[in-house]
Amino acid sequence: MTEACIIVVPVFNEAASIDQLLQRTAAVSPGGWTMVVVDDGSSDETIERLSAEAAHIDPAKMQIQLIQLSRNFGHQRALMAGLDVALRLADERDVDRIAIIDADLQDRPEDIPDLLEATAECDVAYAVRASRRESALFQMAASVFYRLLARWARSPVPPNAGTFSVLNLPAATAILRNADENVFFPGLRAWVGFKQIAVPLQRDARGDGHSRVGIKGLVRLAVGALFGYSRLPLYLMMCISATALVLSVVATIVMSILKLTGQVAVEGIPLLVVLIFFSLSVLAVFLTILAYMVSRNPAPVQSRELYVIAHETSLN
């Protein structure tokens, strides 16, 4: 298996760490590597610093390709854009593996050779965080999210597995072909199957200590992952509607008994409330059945592309 590799790096306002990323990656490259940097609409000096540092990188050591999206599409879609370009370059340059790594230096470029070595025995090697240097609140939230996803996902999603991974070309092609509007790379990587292996790796703190995604972005990603790659919302809807139906039936029976025995005259607003509750519960049950039928036959509801590439440039 050749040592050649194409590395996909989605970036958004990573001026503080992009130069270190290039230096550290080039330092471990045996030669023949290509880095595809996907700029997701950065508004800082990311492009300028990337271009300046790329000029000092020996092309024989590592070639650097810059992909600029027409606007900010989000981390996951930028990753898909990079995967698309990487597959084309892999075909042109006879490369058989693609690596995915973020630019914030939490994942160490020095670990790429370990993942490449692991793919000698499998199709996909992904990093599992042996430990993470985050706040206690963030770690707790991440733990809950991954546990929910692992428990309810349609295909098992390994806990603490992020985007850092190495794929062979068939696996990368399958991921790109099955990406949808709410793409979640770790979930999609697990869904496509193939022979996969987890590689425990240490994760560092972010290069500048700040997340580019933000709380809103993390919540949106978590919601998209839970709705797109798990059946948890469907099961919650099923449990709530079934419980409401049972309670309304019990209330109806109790009220009927009280009415027939003459103990309480059930009429007016209480009766109306119970009848409305019963009707809504029946409707919720049928909506749950409809949701289950739709989930069994997923189909794209939009035909728009996930991203738009504005420029593609070779920097060195």
Side-chain angles (χ1 to χ4, degrees):
M1 181 177 291
T2 178
E3 289 296 325
C5 174
I6 296 178
I7 305 168
V8 175
V9 186
V11 300
F12 176 67
N13 291 346
E14 297 289 354
S17 58
I18 192 66
D19 50 352
Q20 293 185 52
L21 175 70
L22 264 63
Q23 294 168 10
R24 292 171 59 178
T25 307
V28 296
S29 170
W33 284 11
T34 300
M35 178 179 284
V36 176
V37 180
V38 184
D39 176 52
D40 191 27
S42 296
S43 57
D44 64 356
E45 298 178 352
T46 297
I47 302 303
E48 290 77 6
R49 294 197 177 189
L50 171 67
S51 301
E53 186 60 37
H56 299 94
I57 303 295
D58 183 3
K61 192 78 169 175
M62 185 174 72
Q63 297 184 32
I64 301 169
Q65 199 84 3
L66 171 63
I67 309 299
Q68 292 178 272
L69 302 186
S70 59
R71 63 172 177 83
N72 178 257
F73 285 90
H75 175 270
Q76 300 293 299
R77 296 191 183 194
L79 197 158
M80 290 298 110
L83 201 59
D84 188 5
V85 174
L87 282 168
R88 172 169 55 80
L89 293 177
D91 183 59
E92 295 174 356
R93 303 178 184 185
D94 195 26
V95 175
D96 56 6
R97 286 172 294 176
I98 297 174
I100 312 290
I101 188 172
D102 288 334
D104 58 9
L105 298 178
Q106 280 193 293
D107 297 313
R108 301 172 177 175
E110 292 82 4
D111 292 328
I112 294 176
D114 294 334
L115 293 179
L116 287 170
E117 184 178 351
T119 55
E121 302 175 358
C122 64
D123 303 301
V124 178
Y126 58 89
V128 174
R129 301 177 184 95
S131 65
R132 58 190 307 158
R133 300 179 182 178
E134 303 281 1
S135 65
L137 179 62
F138 188 93
Q139 291 187 41
M140 183 179 68
S143 176
V144 171
F145 167 70
Y146 280 112
R147 287 179 183 275
L148 287 174
L149 202 56
R151 173 64 179 84
W152 295 102
R154 294 180 175 90
S155 299
V157 178
N160 296 317
T163 59
F164 190 25
S165 53
V166 171
L167 324 165
N168 65 11
L169 298 191
T173 301
I175 289 173
L176 186 63
R177 286 180 176 176
N178 288 281
D180 56 16
E181 281 285 311
N182 297 310
V183 60
F184 175 60
F185 180 75
L188 187 56
R189 185 181 59 209
W191 181 86
V192 298
F194 293 93
K195 185 178 180 181
Q196 303 196 13
I197 186 172
V199 180
L201 295 173
Q202 189 78 20
R203 206 170 195 224
D204 293 336
R206 289 184 175 87
D208 63 352
H210 301 287
S211 172
R212 298 291 171 271
V213 181
I215 297 298
K216 182 179 178 181
L218 290 173
V219 171
R220 183 167 56 245
L221 180 62
V223 171
L226 288 174
F227 275 80
Y229 294 89
S230 80
R231 296 190 184 276
L232 178 60
L234 183 60
Y235 282 113
L236 287 176
M237 184 178 178
M238 185 182 303
C239 291
I240 293 172
S241 59
T243 301
L245 180 59
V246 170
L247 291 176
S248 62
V249 169
V250 171
T252 302
I253 294 174
V254 171
M255 292 177 65
S256 299
I257 294 175
L258 294 176
K259 176 74 173 180
L260 293 174
T261 58
Q263 298 183 38
V264 178
V266 182
E267 55 187 13
I269 293 180
L271 179 61
L272 182 61
V273 169
V274 171
L275 291 177
I276 292 176
F277 193 61
F278 176 78
S279 300
L280 292 177
S281 300
V282 173
L283 178 61
V285 170
F286 280 102
L287 286 175
T288 302
I289 295 173
L290 178 61
Y292 179 74
M293 293 172 63
V294 171
S295 71
R296 294 295 299 271
N297 298 279
V301 295
Q302 295 179 328
S303 59
R304 292 196 295 258
E305 294 290 338
L306 297 181
Y307 49 82
V308 176
I309 296 176
H311 304 287
E312 182 172 344
T313 311
S314 179
L315 297 183
N316 65 340

